[in-house]
Amino acid sequence: MLDQMADANPFLDPLRFERRAPPSAIVIFGANGDLTKRKLMPALYRLAYESRIPPAFAVIGNSRTNMSDDQFREKMHEALKEFLDDTPLEPALWESFARGLYYVAGDVSDPGFYQRLEAKLAAIQQARQTGGNVLFYLSTQPSYYQPIALGLGSAGLHKDTGWRRIVVEKPFGHDLESARELNRALHHVFTEQQIYRIDHYLGKETVQNILAFRFSNGIFEPLWNRRYISCVQITAAESIGVEGRGAYYQEAGALRDMIQNHLLQVMATIGMEPLPSFDADSVRDERAKFLRSIRVMKSDEVPLFAVPGQYGPARIGTEEVPGFRQEPGVDPRSRTDTYAALTLFVENWRWARVPFYVRTGKRLPKRITDIAIQFNTAPHSPFTRDDNDAGTRPNLLIIRIQPDEGISLRFLSKYPGSGMRLRPVSMDFNYGSSFGARSPSAYETLLLDAMIGDATLYTRQDMVEASWKVVQPILDAWSSQKSDLPCYPAGTWGPKESDEMLARQGHAWRVP
Amino acid sequence: MLDQMADANPFLDPLRFERRAPPSAIVIFGANGDLTKRKLMPALYRLAYESRIPPAFAVIGNSRTNMSDDQFREKMHEALKEFLDDTPLEPALWESFARGLYYVAGDVSDPGFYQRLEAKLAAIQQARQTGGNVLFYLSTQPSYYQPIALGLGSAGLHKDTGWRRIVVEKPFGHDLESARELNRALHHVFTEQQIYRIDHYLGKETVQNILAFRFSNGIFEPLWNRRYISCVQITAAESIGVEGRGAYYQEAGALRDMIQNHLLQVMATIGMEPLPSFDADSVRDERAKFLRSIRVMKSDEVPLFAVPGQYGPARIGTEEVPGFRQEPGVDPRSRTDTYAALTLFVENWRWARVPFYVRTGKRLPKRITDIAIQFNTAPHSPFTRDDNDAGTRPNLLIIRIQPDEGISLRFLSKYPGSGMRLRPVSMDFNYGSSFGARSPSAYETLLLDAMIGDATLYTRQDMVEASWKVVQPILDAWSSQKSDLPCYPAGTWGPKESDEMLARQGHAWRVP
């Protein structure tokens, strides 16, 4: 599955040193949306600030709203003022950057739109010398993904003398069948090598660092298996609620919104086998193999290994917080999961019988994404005794994805004094303060990768299908039930059923 | 070899919680010396301050100087004012503590002295209710150890209704034969269970913590062997010179003064097999077994695996520092080693072919005692390339004994940015700041242990002989040579021959 161009691609350095984009144009569908303002435009400006994109570069925004190029530029200028947080908005750089911004209004279900887009692209290619290279970025509502792909195909925009690639934002399908259908539609027009399915978690520095941590050090990998690890806990907690996105969220739920994509990819990064090399197919082959190794639950196992939850109203501090069913746009009888916790098993030699606990939720006590590797206790401690019970606390390796990116190792130490009292202590490494260097945002990394043609940190068709396969029986079981979901008061760590699920395996959720 | 009293000893709790001494008297031979003032008296006062020694407690000082009890008390008061650094010298506590201090002048080679000592002990036992329990503490010049032991025996002071124990300060012998002779002399009077050979390194909190670190955690021991460790480096560096002790030091040298005792014991603590339980004989059996497993060099191997050194004059900053041969009391042709570095191999399954590098020296760039466990690099890194050479730096576990007691783990991390650049970073644990609790001094721990009858942290006859056996062929080879020792300028990390010794094994000294 090697990119046909890889061998001839001077921009593609597997270790990514001094990475720079070739001449290219990016067409953003949904350019009027939040993602463009908050993430894509700041990332592109930052890449320009670092001279990682060439002068021969252009962005073409599209949405149904009528706007001139200049109006679009002004809108993007406002977005950068608001969302560019750690980079100066220099007038001279903005001027030259803005000259590369264009806009084409149009309805993506109208064939005539693609004619106008083609004409605009041709003009820009002439004006900006972008070499016919075009990255189509789908940031619209998911229901437009298929029409856009087919529209681009009908207009012949999917191939040219330069490269043509398509980036597809999440969600990639609503379930296994719709994901397969979307793949079929995309493949009707694009080859797999042209398709870049984005999962921005894979672009995060701390997720990439998991690979460096595991595979460039000699001491962690020998411990990284069922012999030494008793369980893995992956937590993605949000303290906020649905924040006005109730109508959208009601159709998704926590399992779809976070676990099917982000957290299963994080789990694969933690659990996959060592890499022969750091290139797109080596990395994705291993991730896909891991995802296919996750045991798919039978429907009668779902109640044992999966717990949904929905937050109820609560007073947090002095604030009265509504429950999910009281949020604007949410059906007062909604059965959407705002919390989901799974016990997953991996059927291979490394991980047999080691539970991976994955949880995510809204309105939990704090915002944190982290991974806790819980090790077996010492097989025999000469210091164990009833009144030395700290002596039985297991070693923990905590990988913090956000915030306070870093790694901590909890181990037992002697407490100072005459007794052999043991206490858990931590060794800490803080990613930010240790280097004093800025971490690029996930979107900077991923946009640059797509322009260069490096799909290492993008998901592949087989990865997406494997993760939907894991989630599908749980979605089915939950939707077939008629009773209310387990409720948890806003500001707590989820329903008690989730604690009970771990207790059945002899484990307990760590409090982050 | 269990202490006959262990089963019936209510003071002996193997995990040492709430440890308190029984009624007892301590006779300090050499009470006029530095150790008494700087270490023993502050330790005893601190134990009193913590109520770890009972009211029924007394100290009897001895030296040849004539002094009354009150004069001795005054002298000790002055010593506490000078050397008690982190404990308040409370007048009321000092008053009651001082009432337990006594003094008997006398020459330990005079049989009449022991009669006077016996009479004093009897009177004190009556006055202070010390129950006939006496700890004899030998802190004199080593040449008096045998006469004192024999004198105590002749006077029948080595046994009574209470317990009698003898603590022997270092050096324990000048070589293998004199150590054996001293053992014979002690055993002529005392049983092995009565003899407490002190090595204050074993009483240090951070050395005890090595046991907690290794044997109460599940994740270090699996890595703690030849499969994952490429070498171990033990460093005890002093920045000072011989500081007026030139005449004494000239007779000892670095190998005898530091390696034969302290550093081989530290090495045993790092290298010994896991403990079945934390009691005196379990711990000492394992330490002794390890020490006996160290390969004893043949005389023709000494030049390959042992490097002596002697510091020469240098300017350090603005200070002109004399060389060792220019120090007061030192023979200008002295061949005494002020630096010694050994490559030691351990002949067992765990450590076969893993070099242990042990070095110590005076006038090195800084004062530090630490242990560096250097691990093998990852067997295959997907990120290795010529221009990513940090990617081949091995993992290091650093255990700092003094100062800044703590543990650090060096590993490779991704440097923030678009490239997969690797950089070594550290996770750190600081013993002092993590707990905010005071660590008892080694002498507090060891004096209390001897009073209680716990020899866990004391060396045993077989341990002492095993360590002398390791050192003896090196002493012999060095003393048979006539040439000057390799010289290193004061303020540097030792002679180049030491670096060459490691280079032959493909290693290099870490710069602490």
Side-chain angles (χ1 to χ4, degrees), chain B residues 298-377:
Chain B
K298 298 190 183 72
S299 60
D300 62 345
E301 294 170 331
V302 172
L304 286 172
F305 297 127
V307 173
Q310 201 179 63
Y311 62 86
R315 173 187 283 270
I316 302 179
T318 58
E319 193 194 357
E320 291 290 347
V321 172
F324 179 65
R325 289 177 168 189
Q326 289 83 52
E327 298 273 8
V330 173
D331 180 344
R333 289 159 307 160
S334 168
R335 295 191 65 264
T336 300
D337 50 310
T338 65
Y339 175 96
L342 309 183
T343 301
L344 296 172
F345 289 96
V346 180
E347 301 187 304
N348 63 22
W349 274 51
R350 183 185 288 264
W351 295 119
R353 290 184 286 287
V354 177
F356 283 71
Y357 302 114
V358 181
R359 65 176 161 174
T360 186
K362 290 189 178 288
R363 287 284 185 213
L364 300 186
K366 64 200 287 194
R367 173 176 168 262
I368 192 163
T369 301
D370 70 12
I371 302 138
I373 316 282
Q374 183 174 322
F375 293 92
N376 292 325
T377 52

Side-chain angles (χ1 to χ4, degrees), chain B residues 220-238:
Chain B
F220 302 113
E221 205 51 27
L223 301 168
W224 216 258
N225 58 61
R226 63 182 303 282
R227 189 161 171 196
Y228 302 109
I229 293 178
S230 69
C231 69
V232 177
Q233 301 191 5
I234 301 175
T235 299
E238 289 179 83

Side-chain angles (χ1 to χ4, degrees), chain A residues 89-281:
Chain A
L89 186 50
E90 294 177 353
L93 177 60
W94 165 251
E95 278 300 315
S96 77
F97 183 77
R99 276 195 297 275
L101 301 185
Y102 300 88
Y103 186 78
V104 185
D107 180 340
V108 295
S109 53
D110 165 21
F113 159 70
Y114 297 94
Q115 308 303 323
R116 294 203 306 284
L117 177 61
E118 186 173 17
K120 188 95 174 183
L121 274 171
I124 289 168
Q125 182 175 333
Q126 192 72 21
R128 308 271 310 171
Q129 298 297 313
T130 53
N133 300 323
V134 184
L135 186 68
F136 299 105
Y137 197 111
L138 306 193
S139 177
T140 61
Q141 285 184 49
S143 57
Y144 294 122
Y145 293 172
Q146 293 193 39
I148 294 171
L150 298 172
L152 291 171
S154 300
L157 287 169
H158 62 297
K159 56 183 177 182
D160 191 81
T161 49
W163 50 255
R164 298 291 158 110
R165 299 180 189 130
I166 185 165
V167 176
V168 186
E169 261 294 337
K170 83 162 191 179
F172 198 94
H174 188 70
D175 53 18
L176 176 60
E177 192 38 50
S178 58
R180 282 178 166 157
E181 192 188 321
L182 177 54
N183 267 325
R184 278 192 297 268
L186 290 171
H187 279 139
H188 197 71
V189 178
F190 295 95
T191 65
E192 178 66 21
Q193 286 71 39
Q194 289 177 288
I195 303 169
Y196 287 71
R197 294 169 197 81
I198 205 163
D199 187 322
H200 73 276
Y201 266 59
L202 294 182
K204 285 177 186 281
E205 283 285 309
T206 38
V207 175
Q208 293 183 64
N209 193 33
I210 294 171
L211 300 178
F213 184 81
R214 289 188 59 198
F215 301 134
S216 69
N217 292 293
I219 58 173
F220 302 113
E221 205 51 27
L223 300 168
W224 217 259
N225 58 62
R226 63 183 305 283
R227 188 160 171 196
Y228 302 108
I229 293 178
S230 69
C231 70
V232 176
Q233 300 191 4
I234 300 175
T235 300
E238 289 179 82
S239 57
I240 58 172
V242 291
E243 308 291 293
R245 292 170 65 242
Y248 157 76
Y249 194 82
Q250 184 170 241
E251 300 304 315
L255 180 58
R256 276 194 184 87
D257 193 46
M258 287 295 294
I259 295 183
Q260 180 272 328
N261 38 45
H262 307 319
L263 299 191
L264 288 184
Q265 293 300 335
V266 168
M267 179 176 161
T269 310
I270 290 291
M272 69 191 191
E273 295 298 313
L275 297 170
S277 67
F278 189 57
D279 61 60
D281 280 295

